[in-house]
């Protein structure tokens, strides 16, 4: 029997391996595994200096399809406090308010990313804000320097926006001098429950200071941010009195047990990955069973195979030489485009890193984990190890950081010498996955179900990319099918899948369709009869 401490360590290990961005080396994971006996962590070697007075308002306009959209941008911080820990932090935000609109009826959306350890800049400059980082149509990065362009698909067209950086990301920092802060082993804001409390407290304070309590309120979160959203839709109304009209979960992790493919007794992670493998293989012309068919048909057939023939073969425990096993593994190889000998070697349990390494192995290329449609020359062709840098993620970091730093200081006039933490690995390494005492892997499907049952008018959109091998869309579909929602409220929960990866909005076609689907979700709350 494992001790409670050992079970918690095992839980953290699995979670860290799933969500640690691939640009961090295996050494970073190893460092994470020493957390429970690590010395106190500090965020920086020297104090950081802020030279601006918060908040700062600037005025702008955006031309979309011949119409002018005038808006006010605000960059600043709000103080949040964890009473039990005696800890305080300042949380940085950038908000956008459309000019000339009645705040009492204008929707407002609070937006954050995931990680844990990611700032809101991904959604801000990738999809939702009035400016976005210029990328090629397929999501690849053009030559430097990075530049911003007007975003015709900005959600500011139908909702005001507040982009929030959780503590330790962006310009958000814990303040020194809190209760016993010098003796703590980790930042008190870096845990499941404390993080949610700080976000909720931020929203409460923002609504109060900006007179937005009467507005229709929405949440939008990506990746672990979707995990946050699924919890907050249940807790915000009851614990903070914040009523919600809708929520958008973007490439979310809802149940970690469906995303961790390192447990030989847990079969579903291997099943939920297959449609994304099939989509990626089809995109690269490697699927033997998909010649001449479209993407939707490919993934539909992969879903049927994975939850049927493959699941039965994995669950049967029959020898690999049996006809049942041979047939299932042979078809799996054809669907995924992998060499049959490797599918047989892993007995159908093919990790995402192995799939991404082997799919284009003969051509000397490797595909992305965050976006399987992206490929790059493999820098480690002589090994079977996946490279330390995911080509679909690593190449986006510098453009987003560079563009944000120029934008916030020049266009938004927010002056600071602080480092903007787009992705802070320290947050993830120190994250308290078992805050609250549970040693089990976290999951929030039931909390989402509770929220929908208690608020029959709540609208929820779950959005994924077909080529996302980190948080595959089929895991969310599997959860949705098992929420046992009442027939009357089941239409309130929608799943949409787009031709893209984890950040599917970097693909032009996906971003445009995502905008239309989101606008349709907001239309009743915004009082709109026609698309904007």
């Amino acid at each position: 029997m494992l001790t409670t401490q050992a079970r918690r360590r095992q839980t953290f290990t699995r979670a860290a391996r799933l969500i640690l961005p691939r640009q961090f080396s295996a050494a970073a994971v190893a460092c994470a595994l020493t957390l429970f006996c690590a010395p106190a962590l500090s965020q920086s070697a020297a104090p950081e200096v802020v030279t601006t007075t918060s908040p700062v308002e600037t005025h702008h306009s955006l031309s979309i399809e011949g119409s002018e959209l005038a808006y006010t941008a605000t960059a600043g911080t709000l103080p949040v406090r964890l009473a039990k820990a005696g800890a305080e932090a300042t949380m940085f935000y950038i908000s956008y308010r459309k000019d000339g609109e009645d705040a009492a009826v204008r929707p407002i959306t609070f937006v954050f990313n995931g990680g844990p350890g990611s700032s809101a800049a991904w959604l801000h400059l990738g999809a939702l804000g009035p400016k976005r980082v210029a990328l090629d149509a397929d999501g690849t990065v053009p030559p430097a320097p990075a530049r911003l362009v007007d975003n015709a698909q900005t959600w500011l067209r139908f909702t005001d926006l507040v982009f929030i950086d959780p503590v330790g990301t962006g310009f958000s920092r814990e303040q020194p001098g809190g209760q016993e802060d010098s003796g703590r082993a980790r930042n008190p804001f870096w845990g499941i429950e404390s993080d949610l409390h700080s976000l909720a407290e931020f929203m409460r304070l923002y609504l109060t200071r900006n007179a937005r309590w009467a507005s229709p309120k929405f949440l939008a979160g990506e990746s672990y941010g979707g995990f946050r959203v699924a919890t907050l839709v249940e807790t915000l109304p009851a614990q903070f009195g914040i009523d919600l009209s809708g929520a958008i979960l973007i490439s979310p992790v809802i149940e970690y047990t469906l995303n961790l493919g390192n447990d030989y007794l847990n079969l579903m992670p291997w099943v939920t990955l297959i449609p994304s493998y099939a989509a990626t293989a089809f995109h690269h012309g490697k699927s033997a069973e998909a010649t001449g068919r479209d993407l939707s048909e490919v993934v539909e057939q992969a879903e049927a195979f994975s939850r049927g023939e493959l699941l039965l073969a994995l669950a049967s425990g029959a020898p690999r030489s049996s006809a049942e096993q041979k047939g299932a593994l042979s078809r799996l190889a054809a669907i995924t485009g992998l060499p049959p000998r490797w599918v047989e070697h892993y007995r159908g349990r093919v990790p995402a890193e192995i799939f991404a390494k082997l799919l284009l192995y003969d051509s000397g290329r490797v595909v992305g984990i965050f976006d399987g449609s992206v490929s790059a020359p493999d820098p480690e062709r002589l090994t079977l190890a996946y490279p330390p840098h995911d080509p679909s993620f690593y190449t986006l970091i510098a453009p987003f950081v560079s563009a944000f730093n120029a934008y916030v200081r020049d266009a938004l006039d927010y002056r600071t010498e602080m480092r903007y933490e787009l992705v802070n690995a320290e947050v993830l390494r120190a994250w308290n996955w078992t805050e609250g005492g549970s040693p089990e892997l976290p999951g929030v499907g039931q909390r989402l179900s509770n929220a929908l049952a208690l608020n029959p008018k709540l609208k929820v959109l779950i959005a994924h990319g077909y080529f996302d091998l980190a948080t595959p869309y089929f895991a969310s579909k599997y959860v949705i099918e098992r929420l046992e929602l009442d027939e009357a409220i089941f239409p309130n929960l929608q799943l949409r899948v787009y031709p893209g990866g984890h950040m599917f909005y970097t693909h032009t076609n996906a971003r445009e369709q995502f905008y239309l689907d989101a606008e349709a979700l907001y239309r009743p709350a915004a009082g709109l009869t026609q698309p904007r």
Side-chain angles (χ1 to χ4, degrees):
M1 291 287 290
L2 291 174
T3 65
T4 300
Q5 182 74 355
R7 292 181 71 190
R8 290 183 177 181
R9 182 183 179 93
Q10 185 181 73
T11 298
F12 178 80
T13 301
R14 292 173 179 170
R17 290 190 182 278
L18 168 67
I19 61 176
L20 188 68
R22 307 292 170 166
Q23 86 276 17
F24 300 117
S25 66
V29 177
C31 178
L33 305 187
T34 66
L35 173 66
F36 293 103
C37 56
L41 297 171
S42 61
Q43 285 188 217
S44 61
E48 294 178 295
V49 180
V50 178
T51 56
T52 192
T53 301
S54 177
V56 178
E57 281 193 359
T58 51
H59 301 279
H60 312 264
S61 66
L62 180 65
S63 179
I64 303 175
E65 298 174 355
S67 298
E68 290 295 315
L69 191 162
Y71 62 94
T72 299
T74 303
T77 62
L78 287 180
V80 294
R81 187 171 185 272
L82 296 178
K84 290 183 179 180
E88 297 182 359
T90 55
M91 293 181 68
F92 178 75
Y93 70 94
I94 295 176
S95 67
Y96 297 99
R97 184 181 71 252
K98 185 180 179 182
D99 295 342
E101 295 278 343
D102 182 359
V105 297
R106 172 79 171 167
I108 187 170
T109 304
F110 294 98
V111 185
F112 34 83
N113 272 80
S118 283
S119 76
W122 294 107
L123 286 174
H124 182 182
L125 298 185
L128 276 58
K131 299 287 186 179
R132 62 176 178 82
V133 175
L135 300 172
D136 295 332
D138 61 357
T140 53
V141 178
R147 62 186 183 92
L148 292 176
V149 296
D150 289 346
N151 182 16
Q153 292 81 42
T154 176
W155 289 15
L156 186 56
R157 296 171 69 176
F158 51 78
T159 177
D160 291 341
L161 297 162
V162 185
F163 295 95
I164 309 170
D165 289 339
V167 178
T169 74
F171 295 139
S172 299
R173 301 289 188 270
E174 182 190 4
Q175 297 303 295
Q179 177 182 330
E180 299 180 353
D181 68 340
S182 61
R184 289 197 302 256
R186 58 162 65 91
N187 187 308
F189 289 90
W190 295 350
I192 292 178
E193 297 300 328
S194 298
D195 168 71
L196 294 169
H197 181 89
S198 66
L199 288 170
E201 181 61 17
F202 175 96
M203 287 182 259
R204 182 198 67 79
L205 191 56
Y206 184 92
L207 293 170
T208 299
R209 292 192 178 186
N210 293 275
R212 297 303 299 262
W213 280 97
S215 302
K217 306 168 197 68
F218 289 76
L219 303 178
E222 180 180 35
S223 196
Y224 184 78
F227 181 95
R228 287 166 164 147
V229 168
T231 305
L232 289 168
V233 290
E234 181 194 37
T235 60
L236 282 179
Q239 297 183 22
F240 289 83
I242 298 176
D243 54 342
L244 296 171
S245 297
I248 301 89
L249 289 69
I250 302 162
S251 304
V253 180
I254 299 176
E255 296 288 341
Y256 273 88
T257 56
L258 292 178
N259 291 81
L260 298 177
N262 62 348
D263 184 347
Y264 73 100
L265 294 177
N266 185 7
L267 303 181
M268 288 312 300
W270 311 112
V271 170
T272 57
L273 274 167
I274 302 308
S276 293
Y277 288 175
T280 300
F282 177 73
H283 176 83
H284 292 286
K286 300 293 287 186
S287 177
E289 288 204 358
T291 303
R293 297 204 302 265
D294 63 23
L295 181 60
S296 61
E297 185 179 349
V298 167
V299 296
E300 182 180 342
Q301 293 194 5
E303 288 180 17
F305 164 73
S306 61
R307 72 163 89 212
E309 184 180 348
L310 178 62
L311 180 58
L312 287 174
L314 295 177
S316 71
R320 72 179 72 186
S321 59
S322 68
E324 176 187 273
Q325 288 283 334
K326 281 187 173 182
L329 297 184
S330 176
R331 191 172 177 208
L332 178 59
I335 287 174
T336 61
L338 295 178
R341 69 187 182 93
W342 287 110
V343 173
E344 293 172 6
H345 173 78
Y346 285 98
R347 301 203 64 180
R349 298 169 173 86
V350 182
E353 292 87 348
I354 297 299
F355 170 82
K357 175 78 176 186
L358 294 179
L359 182 66
L360 304 179
Y361 187 78
D362 289 344
S363 59
R365 300 182 71 84
V366 64
V367 303
I369 301 291
F370 274 50
D371 188 341
S373 72
V374 175
S375 71
D378 186 353
E380 299 188 14
R381 294 187 63 179
L382 300 182
T383 76
L384 285 177
Y386 191 79
H389 303 308
D390 180 339
S392 64
F393 182 85
Y394 183 76
T395 55
L396 292 171
I397 294 175
F400 271 78
V401 172
S402 296
F404 184 90
N405 274 297
Y407 176 64
V408 74
R409 291 169 173 84
D410 298 339
L412 302 187
D413 202 28
Y414 189 84
R415 304 297 175 180
T416 178
E417 296 178 8
M418 296 177 73
R419 172 191 174 97
Y420 189 80
E421 298 284 359
L422 179 71
V423 180
N424 187 350
E426 186 178 350
V427 176
L428 179 57
R429 286 194 292 265
W431 198 255
N432 187 353
W433 291 100
T434 58
E435 189 176 44
S438 173
E440 305 300 330
L441 289 171
V444 289
Q446 186 58 53
R447 302 184 82 162
L448 179 61
S449 178
N450 294 343
L452 287 163
L454 292 170
N455 182 359
K457 302 298 183 181
L458 181 70
K459 306 295 184 182
V460 177
L461 171 64
I462 299 177
H464 277 276
Y466 281 116
F467 309 122
D468 183 359
L469 309 183
T471 59
Y473 81 89
F474 197 38
S476 290
K477 185 172 184 177
Y478 183 82
V479 172
I480 291 170
E481 293 171 343
R482 280 147 189 83
L483 290 184
E484 300 295 337
L485 297 175
D486 184 270
E487 290 185 4
I489 62 174
F490 191 80
N492 293 346
L493 176 59
Q494 304 174 49
L495 173 68
R496 295 288 185 270
V497 189
Y498 307 97
H502 194 68
M503 290 84 80
F504 57 80
Y505 46 79
T506 62
H507 295 245
T508 298
N509 290 341
R511 183 179 62 256
E512 291 174 348
Q513 187 57 54
F514 183 41
Y515 168 85
L516 294 175
D517 290 337
E519 190 273 342
L521 183 83
Y522 278 79
R523 201 176 300 162
L528 301 176
T529 57
Q530 299 294 328
R532 287 191 178 183

